[in-house]
Amino acid sequence: MKLGKTPARINATQLKLSTYLDASVLPKIPTEFGHEKAIADYGMLGNDEVGDCVWAGAAHETMIWAREAGNTVGFSTGSVESDYSAVTGFNPDDPSTDQGTDMQAAASYRRRVGVLDATGKRHRVGAYVALTPGDPDELAAAAYIFGAVGVGIRFPQYAMDEFNAGKPWDVRHGNAAIAGGHYIPVVARRGGNFCVITWGRVQEMTPMFYRRYCDEALVYLSTEMLTSGVSPEGFNLAQLQTDLKAFTRR
């Protein structure tokens, strides 16, 4: 499996969720939530061979948002890698160009251009803001309200063993070797752990792991999860925008 998130840049995304979020007007976040089982096959989308995790994650997020609204959107390795190439200059014929992606650059592209699905249609997000890295309460609120949160982690080498063994990512004692940066969509919370999509399947992550290894996180406003302006959790778009005191586009 490949990693592919470049190191976090401090304040690369200047708009912060904490600035716009008024917790007093939001509903209580359920102990368990999510639609991670709505997709039968997320697909690897090339992330076993190249470091396109930021783009595979974007595709997985879009698949979930569409499914929440009763629609089906599919992505191919080719469509995902085409966006990777457009933003980073990746060339499938030149391994030296496989250098990963900056999360803010990808988010800007997703807002301005949109990611390409397997049919040639593009899917844009309306806006994006940064979360406080490592804050599990803010992460839970954002994932519940918006369906998915793009999380960047400093990936400890031992986490690959846990993934291969089907075990939750958790914190181990001592200093862990960091293998690189990785992008994972957080889409649910079950049994006290967060559920992420990575390398084509659902993986659990403990809140402590998130606290220790998250170095950046972005939440996106996507209208694709809405049916007649209403999300599966019962929020309408106008109320969402009011609750967050409206996003300012970049």
Side-chain angles (χ1 to χ4, degrees), residues 70 125-126 131 145 207 218:
V125 297
L131 274 66
I145 296 170
L218 296 175

Side-chain angles (χ1 to χ4, degrees), residues 142-201:
Y144 176 63
I145 296 170
F146 295 102
V149 175
V151 168
I153 59 173
R154 299 166 56 251
F155 191 80
Q157 186 64 53
Y158 71 79
M160 191 67 75
D161 295 332
E162 292 178 336
F163 174 81
N164 291 332
K167 297 180 179 179
W169 287 336
D170 202 355
V171 173
R172 292 187 180 181
H173 295 297
N175 293 323
I178 300 299
H182 192 40
Y183 180 94
I184 48 175
V186 172
V187 299
R189 182 167 65 181
R190 305 290 179 196
N193 291 337
F194 292 106
C195 296
V196 313
I197 309 301
T198 186
W199 298 309
R201 77 180 199 212

Side-chain angles (χ1 to χ4, degrees), residues 9-213:
R9 294 183 292 114
I10 297 176
N11 293 325
T13 301
Q14 296 181 356
L15 300 181
K16 311 298 182 184
L17 181 64
S18 58
T19 301
Y20 301 97
L21 187 64
D22 183 354
S24 67
V25 299
L26 293 177
K28 181 179 179 180
I29 307 303
T31 302
E32 296 200 355
F33 62 83
H35 304 273
E36 76 281 12
K37 297 180 181 179
I39 306 297
D41 182 8
Y42 284 96
M44 185 67 71
L45 302 179
N47 200 202
D48 55 341
E49 296 183 351
V50 300
D52 67 348
C53 59
V54 174
W55 302 101
H60 293 148
E61 291 158 0
T62 304
M63 291 164 68
I64 285 183
W65 289 327
R67 176 53 64 191
E68 288 176 343
N71 301 314
T72 299
V73 174
F75 289 82
S76 66
T77 297
S79 68
V80 169
E81 290 187 358
S82 70
D83 289 323
Y84 182 28
S85 297
V87 173
T88 71
F90 167 68
N91 181 349
D93 298 323
D94 183 358
S96 70
T97 63
D98 185 14
Q99 298 294 321
T101 306
D102 177 275
M103 278 181 54
Q104 192 282 329
S108 177
Y109 178 86
R110 292 174 68 178
R111 185 185 67 79
R112 294 179 294 101
V113 180
V115 292
L116 187 70
D117 71 18
T119 69
K121 180 182 178 180
R122 290 204 173 272
H123 302 262
R124 296 170 57 186
V125 297
Y128 60 94
V129 294
L131 274 66
T132 304
D135 184 333
D137 293 332
E138 193 173 87
L139 174 64
Y144 176 63
I145 296 170
F146 295 102
V149 175
V151 168
I153 59 173
R154 299 166 56 251
F155 191 80
Q157 186 64 53
Y158 71 79
M160 191 67 75
D161 295 332
E162 292 178 336
F163 174 81
N164 291 332
K167 297 180 179 179
W169 287 336
D170 202 355
V171 173
R172 292 187 180 181
H173 295 297
N175 293 323
I178 300 299
H182 192 40
Y183 180 94
I184 48 175
V186 172
V187 299
R189 182 167 65 181
R190 305 290 179 196
N193 291 337
F194 292 106
C195 296
V196 313
I197 309 301
T198 186
W199 298 309
R201 77 180 199 212
V202 178
Q203 167 70 28
E204 289 191 24
M205 170 180 70
T206 68
M208 287 303 296
F209 184 92
Y210 178 69
R211 285 186 183 275
R212 173 72 64 86
Y213 292 111

